Amino acid sequence: MIDFAEYGTGAKVSVLGDIDSFRILILEIFTGKRPTDTSFQESFSLHHFVKRSLPKGVVELLDKTALDCEMPGTGTKGEECWTNLNKEQVECLFSILEIGVACSVESPKDRLTMRQVYSKLILIAATILGNETDKLALLGFKSCITEDPSRVLTSWNNSVHFCRWTGVKCDLRQERVISLNLKGLRLAGTVSGHLGNLSLLNSLDLAENSFHDEIPQELSKLSRIQYLNLSLSNRGNSS
């Protein structure tokens, strides 16, 4: 793919030049603006336009017609939906636009390589998908709790980010669950296999509660676990 705006200045066709073309693709898709837009001049390009607006102006940069954000049955129109993006969605957009900016610095040698771009995109996907997976894993655990006398799990709802739920500790940078400590909370029910989906979990303490049934095999997927306390009282076998 050739970026004629850059190659037209006399630059030779090269991999580094094609990195700039990738930048054009990213920035055009999300802003709806072309490098040849009349609002841009030699000293103020699409690159400068986006870079100047980051990180706080992410939502303002977006082309509101780029994606269909309308939510059927909610009465929420596309443009209104864009303005109500959550924190994770905004951070994802910022990271993608940041890649576009890094691919379009003036000197080709200072641009990201495609290998670096690939790694960053994989990290973005893993973070976004991982966040949702962690949240669903915790809600799956909550759904198997039959008794919560102290109502400690009432904070586990959509009005509060899951990293702030009682007993949950997250890695601050990735916002992924790394510790779950519900020791001595007098919870009853079963230990959900959904906890096995907390792929970054390194500490799990469910001691001094009243869980029954067997420990789910899915917990064996917790490859990063360093501390595990499942001193469970088996109510199912009690007399």
Side-chain angles (χ1 to χ4, degrees), residues 126-198:
T127 300
I128 298 300
L129 296 177
N131 285 348
E132 186 64 20
T133 299
D134 284 3
K135 179 180 178 181
L136 292 175
L138 293 171
L139 291 176
F141 172 82
K142 179 183 179 181
S143 69
C144 293
I145 300 300
T146 57
E147 295 180 25
D148 179 13
S150 300
R151 298 181 58 81
V152 294
L153 299 187
T154 55
S155 69
W156 290 31
N157 61 72
N158 289 326
S159 67
V160 181
H161 191 281
F162 66 83
C163 287
R164 296 170 56 193
W165 291 354
T166 300
V168 177
K169 181 179 179 181
C170 288
D171 173 270
L172 296 180
R173 184 176 66 86
Q174 299 184 56
E175 294 190 336
R176 298 288 307 279
V177 178
I178 59 174
S179 175
L180 181 60
N181 184 358
L182 300 175
K183 180 178 180 180
L185 296 181
R186 295 183 296 161
L187 301 174
T190 60
V191 178
S192 171
H194 285 92
L195 292 182
N197 293 326
L198 298 173

Side-chain angles (χ1 to χ4, degrees), residues 91-106:
E91 289 180 350
C92 175
L93 289 168
F94 165 67
S95 297
I96 292 175
L97 290 170
E98 194 175 39
I99 290 174
V101 170
C103 287
S104 60
V105 295
E106 186 173 353

Side-chain angles (χ1 to χ4, degrees):
M1 179 169 55
I2 298 178
D3 176 9
F4 293 103
E6 177 167 284
Y7 288 137
T9 63
K12 294 181 179 180
V13 176
S14 67
V15 174
L16 293 177
D18 285 344
I19 294 294
D20 186 72
S21 300
F22 180 74
R23 170 271 302 189
I24 293 295
L25 179 63
I26 289 181
L27 299 188
E28 277 196 34
I29 287 175
F30 286 97
T31 67
K33 293 184 178 292
R34 296 177 178 273
T36 55
D37 192 291
T38 55
S39 62
F40 300 138
Q41 302 174 359
E42 184 175 349
S43 59
F44 185 73
S45 63
L46 178 57
H47 165 88
H48 296 104
F49 170 70
V50 176
K51 183 178 181 179
R52 185 186 66 175
S53 302
L54 297 178
K56 295 183 179 181
V58 171
V59 176
E60 288 70 22
L61 280 173
L62 297 174
D63 175 12
K64 304 302 187 296
T65 65
L67 296 174
D68 183 8
C69 190
E70 190 166 346
M71 302 171 64
T74 65
T76 302
K77 300 300 181 181
E79 189 165 338
E80 180 183 350
C81 183
W82 277 112
T83 61
N84 291 320
L85 295 174
N86 61 38
K87 180 182 177 182
E88 290 79 14
Q89 292 169 325
V90 172
E91 289 180 350
C92 175
L93 289 168
F94 165 67
S95 297
I96 292 175
L97 290 170
E98 194 175 39
I99 290 174
V101 170
C103 287
S104 60
V105 295
E106 186 173 353
S107 172
K109 293 182 179 180
D110 293 331
R111 295 170 188 165
L112 295 177
T113 65
M114 283 309 300
R115 185 180 298 275
Q116 290 172 318
V117 170
Y118 173 78
S119 296
K120 287 180 177 292
L121 290 175
I122 289 296
L123 180 59
I124 292 170
T127 300
I128 298 300
L129 296 177
N131 285 348
E132 186 64 20
T133 299
D134 284 3
K135 179 180 178 181
L136 292 175
L138 293 171
L139 291 176
F141 172 82
K142 179 183 179 181
S143 69
C144 293
I145 300 300
T146 57
E147 295 180 25
D148 179 13
S150 300
R151 298 181 58 81
V152 294
L153 299 187
T154 55
S155 69
W156 290 31
N157 61 72
N158 289 326
S159 67
V160 181
H161 191 281
F162 66 83
C163 287
R164 296 170 56 193
W165 291 354
T166 300
V168 177
K169 181 179 179 181
C170 288
D171 173 270
L172 296 180
R173 184 176 66 86
Q174 299 184 56
E175 294 190 336
R176 298 288 307 279
V177 178
I178 59 174
S179 175
L180 181 60
N181 184 358
L182 300 175
K183 180 178 180 180
L185 296 181
R186 295 183 296 161
L187 301 174
T190 60
V191 178
S192 171
H194 285 92
L195 292 182
N197 293 326
L198 298 173
S199 58
L200 297 188
L201 192 71
N202 59 47
S203 178
L204 176 62
D205 194 341
L206 300 179
E208 299 176 25
N209 288 294
S210 297
F211 294 108
H212 57 85
D213 291 344
E214 297 181 352
I215 297 173
Q217 293 183 351
E218 289 84 352
L219 295 192
S220 64
K221 297 191 300 182
L222 299 174
S223 59
R224 301 199 181 192
I225 203 74
Q226 298 176 14
Y227 177 81
L228 180 64
N229 190 349
L230 300 177
S231 303
L232 311 178
S233 58
N234 195 322
R235 296 175 67 234
N237 294 335
S238 61
S239 57

